[in-house]
Amino acid sequence: MSDVLERAAPGFRPKVAVILGSGLGGFVEEVTAVATIPYADLPGFPQPTVGGHAGRLVLGHVGPTPVAVLQGRAHYYERGRADEMKGAIDAMARLGCETLLQTNAAGSLRLDMPPGSVMAISDHINFGGINPLFGVGPGDSRFVDMVDAYDPALRTKLMEAARAANVVCHEGVYIFFSGPSFETPAEIRAARVLGADAVGMSTAPETILARHAGLKVAALSLMTNYAAGLVPGALGHDQTLAVAAAAADKVRLVLRTFLEGCA
Ligand code: HPA
């Protein structure tokens, strides 16, 4: 794998790895690319099966900052494997990345965060009953500390970037459900009691993997809908993609401002 990357972009050392979530892949237009490599050419990288996830790695610069942008992720629900993203995240750490910046589409549990809002993740609740480090070991490295898993200093920088970009950015707790079915209204009521502000089917496994690989993590959620039962009506992935497309520019601006400051 490192051979493929070395051949595609000799000597390139990204500082930040970025995972682009559902409908947010357009951010790659902000990257002055050095190389674009399909996941299919990268051993250990997953083949995404979900609309809105292209499956390409873009190496390049955002302003002065060298970045590795993962255009699309694979989720636990796609193949029932919790460690779908382990190969990709470990590769980013080996390549020299210090930070993983994640984005995702999420459902909002708060009426003051309507669809189109963005939220910096302060912590997560892994409600999926799975862990991407199942089977890793032997040894103690699998007992990963999850206090401040979402780096407080990076989160401050993310909030500052949002302010500079004139984007209102909330902060809150993300709860991971396995999917692929959406949650029931009863599950969402339970999630609210547990302290969640947003719900989604990704990000938490990748954060665990990133902390295991020694990367700092920052994460931004884009609310694409109110979570099940908060308002009348049904949920669907088409809505996720449509709202993500409509609000993508906002997310793009925050990411660009944040990354430009990471050099
Ligand atoms: N639930 C889970 N995942 C999601 C949602 C949701 O309501 N919206 C976007 N991704």
Side-chain angles (χ1 to χ4, degrees), residues 163-176:
R163 211 169 302 127
N166 251 327
V167 171
V168 175
C169 187
H170 301 264
E171 275 185 90
V173 173
Y174 176 94
I175 188 164
F176 167 77

Side-chain angles (χ1 to χ4, degrees), residues 47-110:
Q47 274 307 297
T49 65
V50 188
H53 291 265
R56 277 190 294 260
L57 175 67
V58 180
L59 301 176
H61 291 87
V62 175
T65 310
V67 298
V69 181
L70 293 131
Q71 198 183 13
R73 56 156 64 83
H75 308 76
Y76 169 62
Y77 63 73
E78 291 178 57
R79 279 166 282 251
R81 287 190 42 183
D83 64 350
E84 277 289 349
M85 294 296 287
K86 188 167 191 310
I89 289 171
D90 286 350
M92 294 301 100
R94 278 199 306 275
L95 204 56
C97 291
E98 297 162 8
T99 298
L100 175 67
L101 172 61
Q102 300 207 58
T103 62
N104 63 44
S108 172
L109 275 68
R110 282 172 33 188

